[in-house]
């Protein structure tokens, strides 16, 4: 099981905070550092304010050297697909080929109205996501020297040079995720290199993966996407330390356990992670909410990751 540190900077973080977490994650041996793509905090003020996901990752591309970098997930409502493909390809080059693009339809209406971003209906958001996935992957996969055209309901590209090309070949990995039972598995089957189940009870993970397998078979895709999951992280050396870390992020230990969190002592965390592996996940995104608690990451690296 590969372990990724996953942060929610909209809850309150500077770029300096993110650099410390990313560099600690890299030094500790984690597989990746990912961040959310949100502009408004949830349940708290979020001061000093949001940071842009791809600006952050561009900086971290030259402030780290090994760790994978990406979004879980970029909202298709935030950016046009052509400029998004350019930005991700540029960060891929800056990082030496370490970038991954998680792309979703967007769901948090308040951040859209707060910053003047259009927020279409759910159906239109899925339509736009589908076109964006086709455009971004199409631009990256167009052979050098060839142009790319696309005629969709929401986006049209005419004679695009389809540049720049990312460093990774054939492209940076694309992650699609969610709990949807029809369109989400279908989009993952068509476009994704990895499918992610975010914050689900463990017993619900395997059935969600199976829907993607079925959708893949329906379109003749022999090998489905890789599977991953996201879960909140709250590990302590003893029960008192677990409770302290839970209180620091405003969460209840029992509630986090019930909803699939990686919660408890290192031994308990290992047991929970192995259950995700049994469900079919090959990578786990550990939602880390207290970014000042770097000891938390070092504990997980030394006493959990080494047991997997």
């Amino acid at each position: 099981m590969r372990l990724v540190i996953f942060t929610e900077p909209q809850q309150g973080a500077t770029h300096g905070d993110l650099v410390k977490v990313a560099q600690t994650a890299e030094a500790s041996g984690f597989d990746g550092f990912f961040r959310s793509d949100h502009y408004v905090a949830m349940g708290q003020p979020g001061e000093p304010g949001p940071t842009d996901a791809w600006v952050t990752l561009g900086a971290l591309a030259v402030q780290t050297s090994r760790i994978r970098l990406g979004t879980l997930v970029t909202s298709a409502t935030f950016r046009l697909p052509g400029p998004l493909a350019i930005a991700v390809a540029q960060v891929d080059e800056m990082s030496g080929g370490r970038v991954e693009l998680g792309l979703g339809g967007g769901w948090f209406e308040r951040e859209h109205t707060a910053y003047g971003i259009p927020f279409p209906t759910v159906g239109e958001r899925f339509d736009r996501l589908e076109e964006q996935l086709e455009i971004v992957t199409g631009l990256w996969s167009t052979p050098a020297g060839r142009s790319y055209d696309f005629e969709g309901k929401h986006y049209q590209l005419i004679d695009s040079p389809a540049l720049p090309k990312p460093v990774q070949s054939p492209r940076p990995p694309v992650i699609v995720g969610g709990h949807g039972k029809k369109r989400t598995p279908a989009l993952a089957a068509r476009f994704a290199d990895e499918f992610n189940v975010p914050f689900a009870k463990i017993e619900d993970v395997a059935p969600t993966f199976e829907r993607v397998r079925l959708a893949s078979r329906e379109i003749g895709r022999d090998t489905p996407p890789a599977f991953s999951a996201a879960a909140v992280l709250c590990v302590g050396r003893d029960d008192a330390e677990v409770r302290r870390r839970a209180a620091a992020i405003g969460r209840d230990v029992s509630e986090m356990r019930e909803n699939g969190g990686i919660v408890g002592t290192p031994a308990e965390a290992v047991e929970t992670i192995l259950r995700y592996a049994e469900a079919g996940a090959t990578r786990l995104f550990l939602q880390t909410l207290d970014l000042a608690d770097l000891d938390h990451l070092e504990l997980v690296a030394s006493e959990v990751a080494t047991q997997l």
Side-chain angles (χ1 to χ4, degrees), residues 147-151 156-161:
S147 63
Y148 176 79
D149 294 272
F150 179 84
E151 181 66 33
Q156 298 80 39
L157 283 73
I158 300 170
D159 196 26
S160 171

Side-chain angles (χ1 to χ4, degrees), residues 28 30 237 266 295-307:
S28 300
F30 287 97
R237 294 171 181 83
D295 176 64
H296 195 190
L297 305 187
E298 293 166 350
L299 171 65
V300 173
S302 64
E303 299 192 27
V304 177
T306 55
Q307 305 303 312

Side-chain angles (χ1 to χ4, degrees), residues 60-128:
L60 290 176
V62 297
Q63 292 172 309
T64 59
S65 60
R66 176 196 59 81
I67 204 162
R68 304 289 296 177
L69 302 168
T71 50
L72 201 71
V73 294
T74 284
S75 173
T77 56
F78 289 173
R79 298 168 181 85
L80 297 171
L84 176 62
I86 291 170
V88 178
Q90 179 182 4
V91 178
D92 195 48
E93 188 273 332
M94 293 166 69
S95 68
R98 294 184 284 124
V99 160
E100 304 183 30
L101 170 64
L103 190 60
W107 61 271
F108 190 21
E109 183 174 8
R110 182 166 169 257
E111 67 187 341
H112 291 74
T113 57
Y115 288 99
I117 304 168
F119 188 69
T121 63
V122 120
E124 182 177 330
R125 295 201 303 276
F126 266 98
D127 291 342
R128 288 179 177 273

Side-chain angles (χ1 to χ4, degrees), residues 81-82 84-85 101 103 131-141:
L84 176 62
L101 170 64
L103 190 60
E131 290 190 16
Q132 289 214 4
L133 285 164
E134 186 164 351
I135 291 166
V136 170
T137 57
L139 287 168
W140 288 342
S141 62

Side-chain angles (χ1 to χ4, degrees), residues 8 22 35 68 83 87 99 128 136 151 155-156 165-166 181 183 190 199 202 214 226 233 244 268-269 288 292 297 300:
E8 303 269 5
R35 58 157 292 163
R68 304 289 296 177
V99 160
R128 288 179 177 273
V136 170
E151 181 66 33
Y155 308 104
Q156 298 80 39
K165 298 301 182 195
K181 295 185 177 181
R183 293 196 70 177
R190 284 185 62 194
F199 310 112
I202 297 178
L214 290 172
L233 181 69
R244 176 179 65 77
E268 291 173 312
T288 305
L297 305 187
V300 173

Side-chain angles (χ1 to χ4, degrees), residues 174-188:
V174 172
I175 304 169
V176 172
H179 301 282
K181 295 185 177 181
K182 292 184 178 180
R183 293 196 70 177
T184 300
L187 290 176

